[in-house]
Amino acid sequence: MAPEAAPRPTRAELRVAAREQSRAQRRDAAKAATRTALLRVALPSVAALGVAAAAAVTVQGEADQHRAQATGRIPEQATAAGAADNAQAAQAAQQALASAGGAQASRGDARQPLTGTQGGADPAGQPAAQVTTTDQAPPERPRIAMPVAQHGLGEVFGAAGTHWAKRHTGIDFPVDGGTAVMAVTDGTVRTQWNPSYGYMTILKMADGTEAWYCHLRSYKIRKGTVKAGDVIAFVGNSGNSTGPHLHFEIRPADGGAPVDPLPWFLAQGLDPR
């Protein structure tokens, strides 16, 4: 006798088999997606790793929910598989957390020597190099300066001649017209015109002593406070003069007769000759 042919499955059985196959395929796809996500996600911090682990578990849970909605029930096999997948995802996340923690500790160790040298000793116990910054003081400003940069005198104090009614009352610097004239010390200046002295600048010092600059061409500072070495005017040939030069006088604070400027300069450590 010929063997009996196997009964053909019913439509209901075919639908059940198709659903089971579809569930298996979706389960496999969800597993692959979860593993791929865990491998590709960069875990820069512990907080980010926690989020990645939670996301992996959530993805698996959503896959289980979709399977339950498609079948209208939750088969025991699907429930067991989902629990296993969730356990695997959690284990992978914990391993990644441990690896990232070690990496962060390594980076912290690498930075430790840098912070250690800030406090006076490095991790090996050696004293840290001390960086000492020295602020160089600006060069000290001269207390006394020459009235012109060029040394050399023409007529000296007390000289006799037809150019003066009595005696020469100052010292002359034979320099070119336009040469810069400088304050010999700190003080205040004022300017005026005199028929004999021409355009002149008077520098009053702190003790009342006055320095007179005569036969000027022009002024740079007409009035105000100046410091030693400041340019205050320019050499000229104004007034009773036979050529460009600077006539320089020193007048005492008491208003007496002018005194010889040369000993005054020498006493200050300057020799204009």
Side-chain angles (χ1 to χ4, degrees), residues 229-243:
D230 288 350
V231 176
I232 57 176
F234 301 94
V235 172
N237 188 33
S238 59
N240 184 15
S241 173
T242 58

Side-chain angles (χ1 to χ4, degrees), residues 28-44 48-49 51-60 89 92-93 96:
D28 294 339
K31 290 181 181 180
T34 300
R35 293 192 183 93
T36 302
L38 289 174
L39 290 174
R40 291 183 178 178
V41 170
L43 301 176
L49 287 169
V51 172
V57 174
T58 302
V59 168
Q60 186 62 40

